[in-house]
Amino acid sequence: MDKFVIVGGTPLRGEIPTSGSKNSALPALAAALLTEEPVTLKRVPRVRDIRTMQRLLVDIGSKADVDGETVRLETPQIVCPEAPYELVKTMRASSLVLGPLVARSGRARVSLPGGCAIGGRPINLHIFGLEQLGARIHQAHGYIEAEAADGLRGAVVHFDRITVTGTEDLMMAAVLAKGETILRNAAREPEVVDLAALLTRMGAKIEGAGTTTIRINGVEKLGGAEHTIIPDRIEAGTFLIAGAITGGDVAIAGCIPEHVGALVSKLQQAGVAVTQPDATTLRVRSSGKLRSVDMTTEEYPGFATDLQAQYMALMTQAEGISIIVETIFENRFMHAQELARMGANIRLDGRQAIVAGPYRLTGAGVIASDLRASASLVLAALVAKGETVIDRVYHIDRGYEKIEAKLSQVGAQIRRVE
Ligand code: EPU
């Protein structure tokens, strides 16, 4: 298993490019199942979760050609409409094939995901939505079997809580359903908007993506399309925090500044200078002297739960007490104990973390527990005195493309050892 060895203390300086969004590319790949024609996706990040999704699609019946960050998928027919436990347990986003499979072939068999390091994460709302569209659902042996032999029909689906992949799954089911579907209390994340843009290029009729009500008029057939994935806002946000925590001067190039608006606002309140030299670049400059600022995670456009762990690492270096509240996932504080091993002062109280700072961090052996928790340990290590060894970095490889190369490029002392 690979590890990262990081020696902290160097302010980062220079420019870091942003990769394509993992959480946008995953549903976009699944959307290719909706048509027999080729779908070409550009700026697909080369990360492990994307490879897992490609493997799943190939098992289902797609032909996949990968050329750098361009992926061409063609699915002449659905050979096996199934997402097996072996894949779903390694990547929950596998459940994104449920909607497209039922829509295209009238049936799907998808393993139930089971628990996860950050929370229970059920898919009951995906299932409820498909039932509203007329699918018959049967659960046995740890699998969900969905059937709609005569096709799906449009309906009103009111999500009783906001779900990102649930909204995406239902959008992909509804594009081939008969009649109109209205998704209420839909997720407004940029990844939902990006998926709607791809589906529209494929011939779907969708209105309102990016708002809480999405209207979809089903069409008979979808065709091929070419689409460029949006930049990864969580990666961009992680690098903004890297610049801030090390007292550096870093430009994040090729991002969409609006997508990290909530983080930028917190950084500014904490005393970090963030400017926008051009439409797709953010520059972060920090003296390393930070003020503590409370933060509560929310659905977009609020502060992303996927940046909460990284923000906590930053607040360990801020003057005063900050209260961080996690509202999206019930168990997303695994990084707190590891940060404490490096010298941070963090008290957990249910969904709240109380961080006192600044405490000098020192390098230690720590364990990555999930993707974003690992990113927070990398950030803490960049500012810690001495050497930090982060074990189980396969978590970080799931969602960050070449993170050690990108950070080295701006002066970080980070290397991967086997
Ligand atoms: N929920 C339910 N029932 C459902 C679906 C969700 O109760 O059927 C609950 C979840 O348990 C959670 C909340 O609703 O408490 C929100 O979950 P959501 O469904 O929005 O999360 P997701 O779609 O499974 C996506 C991202 C996550 C990100 C969340 C929240 C992808 C592939 N994953 O997950 O990304 O944290 O939205 O923004 O888009 C990551 O990249 O590290 C990551 C975990």
Side-chain angles (χ1 to χ4, degrees):
M1 255 185 278
D2 290 5
K3 296 178 182 172
F4 280 156
V5 179
I6 300 173
V7 179
T10 315
L12 304 186
R13 284 182 205 289
E15 188 175 290
I16 311 184
T18 316
S19 295
S21 159
K22 164 183 84 81
N23 288 349
S24 219
L26 287 169
L29 289 164
L33 293 175
L34 288 163
T35 174
E36 58 199 39
E37 291 180 21
V39 172
T40 302
L41 300 173
K42 297 189 169 163
R43 204 179 189 182
V44 176
R46 304 317 303 154
V47 297
R48 187 193 298 261
D49 275 7
I50 296 296
R51 289 192 288 274
T52 305
M53 182 60 97
Q54 279 165 202
R55 248 179 68 203
L56 173 59
L57 297 182
V58 168
D59 288 349
I60 289 172
S62 306
K63 282 183 269 176
D65 282 323
V66 181
D67 177 12
E69 295 188 335
T70 301
V71 179
R72 184 181 183 276
L73 288 156
E74 194 172 348
T75 316
Q77 58 186 22
I78 304 293
V79 178
C80 173
E82 182 170 315
Y85 181 57
E86 291 65 49
L87 284 185
V88 177
K89 74 177 184 211
T90 65
M91 189 185 67
R92 311 175 61 80
S94 310
S95 54
L96 279 166
V97 300
L98 187 56
L101 282 178
V102 184
R104 168 109 180 252
S105 69
R107 63 199 181 95
R109 186 167 182 269
V110 173
S111 168
L112 280 167
C116 155
I118 63 176
R121 304 185 75 185
I123 57 164
N124 57 306
L125 297 172
H126 302 227
I127 294 165
F128 163 74
L130 282 174
E131 278 177 331
Q132 299 303 103
L133 296 193
R136 276 189 309 280
I137 308 275
H138 174 70
Q139 187 186 324
H141 311 294
Y143 278 76
I144 286 293
E145 292 182 11
E147 212 187 296
D150 301 326
L152 296 168
R153 45 182 163 66
V156 175
V157 178
H158 190 117
F159 293 106
D160 60 22
R161 75 173 288 177
I162 298 173
T163 159
V164 179
T165 52
T167 301
E168 293 162 350
D169 215 3
L170 263 290
M171 238 164 55
M172 291 190 278
V175 286
L176 290 178
K178 280 189 202 85
E180 188 185 43
T181 296
I182 302 178
L183 304 181
R184 293 201 200 280
N185 201 24
R188 292 181 287 165
E189 267 64 7
E191 294 76 22
V192 171
V193 178
D194 199 32
L195 175 65
L198 165 65
L199 292 169
T200 303
R201 287 210 171 97
M202 293 167 70
K205 302 265 179 282
I206 303 173
E207 271 174 35
T211 75
T212 55
T213 304
I214 303 178
R215 288 171 191 274
I216 301 151
N217 262 298
V219 295
E220 287 250 307
K221 233 176 151 32
L222 292 178
E226 206 177 282
H227 178 72
T228 302
I229 300 294
I230 56 169
D232 196 310
R233 63 192 169 100
I234 306 303
E235 189 202 26
T238 302
F239 291 142
L240 282 172
I241 297 176
I245 200 171
T246 61
D249 181 350
V250 177
I252 318 298
C255 65
I256 298 180
E258 187 191 335
H259 290 175
V260 283
L263 170 64
V264 168
S265 163
K266 290 292 175 195
L267 290 174
Q268 288 167 334
Q269 291 170 57
V272 177
V274 185
T275 52
Q276 192 184 320
D278 63 52
T280 58
T281 306
L282 281 172
R283 180 174 175 197
V284 59
R285 271 170 295 170
S286 163
S287 62
K289 263 190 96 55
L290 302 161
R291 286 191 292 274
S292 58
V293 182
D294 295 347
M295 184 277 281
T296 299
T297 61
E298 280 168 27
E299 290 89 359
Y300 189 83
F303 195 103
T305 172
D306 289 345
L307 285 169
Q308 177 259 109
Q310 301 89 315
Y311 186 78
M312 191 184 291
L314 182 73
M315 283 300 108
T316 68
Q317 300 307 295
E319 178 79 44
I321 306 271
S322 53
I323 296 180
I324 296 176
V325 183
E326 171 59 56
T327 67
I328 308 293
F329 292 110
E330 63 271 24
N331 190 30
R332 206 173 200 181
F333 281 146
M334 304 277 279
H335 43 281
Q337 294 312 327
E338 299 303 297
L339 291 172
R341 297 196 61 251
M342 297 176 72
N345 182 333
I346 303 169
R347 193 157 60 79
L348 296 183
D349 180 10
R351 290 196 169 208
Q352 198 167 274
I354 299 129
V355 185
Y359 275 76
R360 184 72 205 253
L361 302 182
T362 52
V366 288
I367 293 182
S369 55
D370 69 75
L371 171 55
R372 309 303 173 186
S374 337
S376 90
L377 298 178
V378 170
L379 295 172
L382 289 175
V383 73
K385 186 176 164 55
E387 186 178 275
T388 298
V389 179
I390 305 180
D391 202 351
R392 301 197 191 157
V393 298
Y394 58 82
H395 285 296
I396 213 163
D397 294 333
R398 292 185 56 179
Y400 287 89
E401 186 174 51
K402 301 189 200 117
I403 189 168
E404 69 272 35
K406 289 189 182 190
L407 288 172
S408 300
Q409 191 181 318
V410 290
Q413 292 186 54
I414 173 171
R415 65 193 163 86
R416 181 184 289 262
V417 294
E418 292 197 356

